[in-house]
Amino acid sequence: MNISIKTIPQKYLAYGFIVFYFLLNIFQANYTELTSDEGYYWYLSAHLNWGYYDHPPLLPFLIYAGRHLFAGELGVRFTNVLLMSMGLVFLFKLLEKDEQWQSHLYLIVLSLPLFNYISIVVFPDTPLVAISMVYLFFYKRFLEKDDFVSALILGVSLAAMLYAKYHAVLIVLFVLMSNISLLRNKKFVLSLFIAAALYVPHLYWQYTHDFVSIKYHLLSRSNGFNISFLTEYPSVQFLVLGPALIIVPFIYKAKDLFERALKCVLIGTLSFFLLATFKGYVQFHWTSIVLFPLIILSYNYYSGRKKKLFLYLTLPTLLLVLFLRTYLAIKILPTNTFNHVDYFHGRHAWAEDIQHIAGDKPVVFENQLREAPLYSFYSGKQSVALYGGDSKKTQYQLWNAEDGLQGKDVVIIKDGGCSSCTKLVTKMGKEITYMPYAHFASYQNIRILLKNVTALSDTTVRVQLEIANHRDRPLLFAKNNFGEQPHLLCKVYAGAGKKDTTLTVRALSADDSIAPHSRRVIAGEISLDGIRQGRTCSFGFDDGVFRPSSNSKRYAL
């Protein structure tokens, strides 16, 4: 009996493809080293909570589950691979007609660069994208049936998307914009209330943590306008979404309310992040929520038409995806174009190089959020990332990770030049600048409160600052390894595009020591000569080792 692929039922081919894609990504996830922020997400999964500094909590929960099933890189990525395969099941179910699918659907999935990348490398976008397919599937069903079951699942899936990433709000916003009558539908409104009710634990976490994530994303991430941000965005999106697909939402005519919603999500999201480039840099994967709408509309657009054009436009991206998948799993290039640093290979050797220097000592990474957890992942040793300034903190600060290092001998890896440091080019090509440091002391997470301001003259004020020591050991304000005393500082903000001013309040010494779990008011004088009124300021420490920190909220001068 002759058996050909044409005699195999389409249903078996479709679900066989999903199994193939799942196994392909399992292989890829196991043999691709952690990169980008994956180490940080792994670090978050060690302490489950209803929220984190940078993101909602779903991704750490998923990694936590994966780590208990598999070791290494596969454990970090397994649940995300599983979720993306689940998304494909709902995609194929939505597009089936009498258990039939046209073959170009497989090619769309295999050749879409961004879809394939987030199916392997862990981002908060991955569960967001996978669950968005569930949301779209039941939104289509809701349009057809207008039933409570669909409304219930819409509410649950919307909450799950919001627990994955805040960008989920764009999906429901653009769906509503495509069909404003939904606000008059009691069942759909009920789905919004269900999502809001399920999201209360995270909102309460934000409330108890002074809405730290909201402030970070809305205020601290602003880099100001840069023409390169604007020009780079469309070219990068053209590459990661592919020329065959990115044109579809702009030329395809929607046939019904569901397709209108898909177009609105696509064009609205791409436009939203285009506008976001005026505020700062837009990462290429932030537009991931367009992936399933793009696949659905592209499948419908190319069904029965323009097959040759589709093949010509898709072939380059298919080859690109095949190359990237091979490159991620196997080091096929002798050198790397990213400043001679191979960020996708050699992390084991990089961690070994640092561990050879540090031994069993903890390693403190200055302003290097990605490197600190990756070192812990590949070495099994303790590390902490510390950020000076006030533009960015991390979960390391929220968890007071630096407290456990006080008084210990550590190795500090600096972010930039350092006259007392030694340089080393690691085996992965990345140069580090490091120094051993005895009796480590830091003040990044010590809170400062302005208690009183007294004018001494037209240009001089006396400030009283309350310093709170939450630690189990005293704050000694001892000299650093270079014989320098720590200082209290006042940073005056000049506004966008202007240089801020840093003023010394006073030097600190052992006489200013603060007992464990105690507070102390310390006074100092500030000269405001040349400082315009209406500016804001914050207070912090300069320990002579790290960049000056900001430890208070901003106050008006």
Side-chain angles (χ1 to χ4, degrees):
M1 182 175 62
N2 293 325
I3 299 177
S4 69
I5 193 169
K6 292 183 179 180
T7 64
I8 301 175
Q10 281 278 320
K11 179 173 65 174
Y12 298 140
L13 285 177
Y15 292 106
F17 172 80
I18 295 172
V19 172
F20 159 76
Y21 195 76
F22 171 74
L23 294 176
L24 173 65
N25 288 334
I26 287 292
F27 173 86
Q28 190 91 55
N30 189 56
Y31 289 99
T32 300
E33 295 182 18
L34 297 190
T35 187
S36 189
D37 293 332
E38 289 184 294
Y40 183 55
Y41 304 138
W42 166 81
Y43 168 70
L44 298 183
S45 71
H47 305 280
L48 299 182
N49 212 324
W50 284 109
Y52 298 92
Y53 178 84
D54 316 78
H55 298 290
L58 182 57
L59 182 58
F61 274 75
L62 294 172
I63 294 175
Y64 177 85
R67 288 172 57 186
H68 285 74
L69 295 173
F70 300 99
E73 291 89 350
L74 181 58
V76 176
R77 296 171 171 145
F78 176 76
T79 49
N80 282 267
V81 171
L82 188 63
L83 275 178
M84 287 300 282
S85 300
M86 176 203 72
L88 284 180
V89 172
F90 280 93
L91 172 71
F92 275 72
K93 193 67 178 174
L94 185 144
L95 292 176
E96 76 167 302
K97 293 181 179 178
D98 300 321
E99 297 187 345
Q100 299 291 316
W101 298 268
Q102 295 193 33
S103 58
H104 64 285
L105 176 58
Y106 308 118
L107 191 55
I108 290 175
V109 172
L110 291 173
S111 65
L112 185 46
L114 183 54
F115 186 88
N116 283 268
Y117 190 68
I118 70 166
S119 294
I120 306 161
V121 178
V122 169
F123 293 103
D125 307 77
T126 310
L128 169 61
V129 170
I131 300 167
S132 74
M133 187 59 238
V134 180
Y135 185 86
L136 293 173
F137 180 88
F138 281 96
Y139 176 61
K140 185 173 186 292
R141 171 178 152 153
F142 181 81
L143 290 175
E144 295 167 352
K145 297 187 176 183
D146 192 15
D147 61 326
F148 280 107
V149 172
S150 296
L152 173 63
I153 299 176
L154 283 176
V156 173
S157 58
L158 174 56
M161 288 192 295
L162 288 168
Y163 274 114
K165 195 169 185 179
Y166 301 119
H167 292 170
V169 72
L170 295 177
I171 296 178
V172 68
L173 174 64
F174 293 128
V175 166
L176 282 169
M177 289 177 63
S178 72
N179 185 8
I180 199 67
S181 64
L182 288 170
L183 292 176
R184 297 193 298 270
N185 187 304
K186 294 180 181 179
K187 298 185 186 70
F188 187 85
V189 173
L190 174 63
S191 76
L192 300 180
F193 278 104
I194 291 172
L198 293 174
Y199 208 54
V200 166
H202 178 67
L203 295 176
Y204 180 73
W205 182 93
Q206 288 290 344
Y207 170 75
T208 57
H209 289 79
D210 197 26
F211 297 97
V212 61
S213 305
I214 308 302
K215 291 179 179 179
Y216 167 63
H217 287 291
L218 294 182
L219 301 176
S220 299
R221 298 199 79 161
S222 178
N223 305 118
F225 177 71
N226 187 319
I227 188 64
S228 65
F229 298 163
L230 177 61
T231 55
E232 182 180 326
Y233 171 76
S235 59
V236 169
Q237 292 304 307
F238 183 82
L239 179 64
V240 300
L241 298 180
L245 308 188
I246 197 170
I247 60 173
V248 170
F250 301 98
I251 61 178
Y252 182 76
K253 293 183 179 179
K255 300 183 180 69
D256 52 38
L257 284 173
F258 180 67
E259 289 190 345
R260 187 196 298 177
L262 299 179
K263 282 196 66 170
C264 203
V265 170
L266 275 160
I267 297 175
T269 300
L270 294 174
S271 301
F272 174 85
F273 285 110
L274 178 64
L275 293 175
T277 61
F278 288 87
K279 181 176 179 286
Y281 185 74
V282 172
Q283 299 288 343
F284 72 93
H285 56 85
W286 288 358
T287 59
S288 295
I289 56 175
V290 308
L291 286 173
F292 277 117
L294 186 62
I295 292 173
I296 296 168
L297 285 189
S298 298
Y299 175 78
N300 292 341
Y301 177 71
Y302 287 110
S303 292
R305 71 168 96 176
K306 300 183 174 70
K307 289 295 178 64
K308 287 187 177 180
L309 175 63
F310 171 74
L311 290 175
Y312 289 143
L313 292 176
T314 303
L315 184 60
T317 55
L318 177 62
L319 295 175
L320 174 64
V321 168
L322 291 174
F323 169 77
L324 288 176
R325 279 185 173 274
T326 305
Y327 170 68
L328 288 174
I330 307 169
K331 188 174 182 177
I332 57 176
L333 297 179
T335 59
N336 194 284
T337 57
F338 301 109
N339 299 321
H340 305 290
V341 178
D342 190 341
Y343 287 101
F344 298 100
H345 308 95
R347 280 293 180 183
H348 286 281
W350 167 84
E352 288 175 359
D353 288 339
I354 297 175
Q355 190 177 354
H356 180 74
I357 297 166
D360 291 328
K361 296 175 184 175
V363 179
V364 180
F365 291 81
E366 181 186 34
N367 290 16
Q368 299 175 71
L369 180 60
R370 293 179 174 179
E371 276 68 20
L374 284 173
Y375 173 72
S376 293
F377 181 85
Y378 284 110
S379 70
K381 303 298 182 180
Q382 184 181 12
S383 65
V384 169
L386 290 184
Y387 273 73
D390 61 347
S391 60
K392 178 177 176 61
K393 301 296 181 184
T394 73
Q395 199 64 35
Y396 285 98
Q397 273 81 6
L398 256 64
W399 285 339
N400 297 320
E402 64 190 277
D403 292 358
L405 303 182
Q406 303 305 305
K408 293 183 178 180
D409 294 345
V410 303
V411 169
I412 297 174
I413 297 184
K414 295 283 291 179
D415 178 30
C418 170
S419 59
S420 303
C421 294
T422 302
K423 291 185 178 180
L424 171 69
V425 178
T426 62
K427 293 184 182 70
M428 71 176 287
K430 183 175 177 62
E431 183 180 85
I432 62 171
T433 306
Y434 71 93
M435 63 176 174
Y437 195 90
H439 307 296
F440 179 78
S442 64
Y443 313 99
Q444 303 278 345
N445 63 344
I446 299 299
R447 300 303 301 163
I448 298 176
L449 178 67
L450 177 62
K451 298 293 289 185
N452 190 36
V453 180
T454 305
L456 302 180
S457 69
D458 291 341
T459 59
T460 304
V461 297
R462 180 180 177 84
V463 295
Q464 290 183 309
L465 303 174
E466 181 183 82
I467 302 176
N469 179 17
H470 65 273
R471 295 173 179 169
D472 295 329
R473 55 186 296 140
L475 283 178
L476 300 177
F477 300 118
K479 293 181 180 180
N480 62 24
N481 285 191
F482 315 114
E484 303 166 338
Q485 292 289 156
H487 287 73
L488 269 176
L489 301 179
C490 175
K491 183 176 182 180
V492 181
Y493 301 94
K498 299 179 181 179
K499 188 175 181 180
D500 299 331
T501 303
T502 301
L503 308 173
T504 299
V505 178
R506 56 164 288 186
L508 297 169
S509 67
D511 294 336
D512 301 308
S513 298
I514 305 174
H517 305 288
S518 301
R519 300 170 181 265
R520 182 168 186 169
V521 176
I522 296 178
E525 296 181 5
I526 305 174
S527 173
L528 299 178
D529 188 26
I531 304 296
R532 294 172 54 187
Q533 291 186 351
R535 298 279 172 82
T536 59
C537 70
S538 67
F539 297 92
F541 298 96
D542 182 4
D543 57 16
V545 179
F546 298 100
R547 294 178 183 178
S549 59
S550 178
N551 300 66
S552 74
K553 68 177 185 179
R554 292 194 183 189
Y555 298 95
L557 288 173

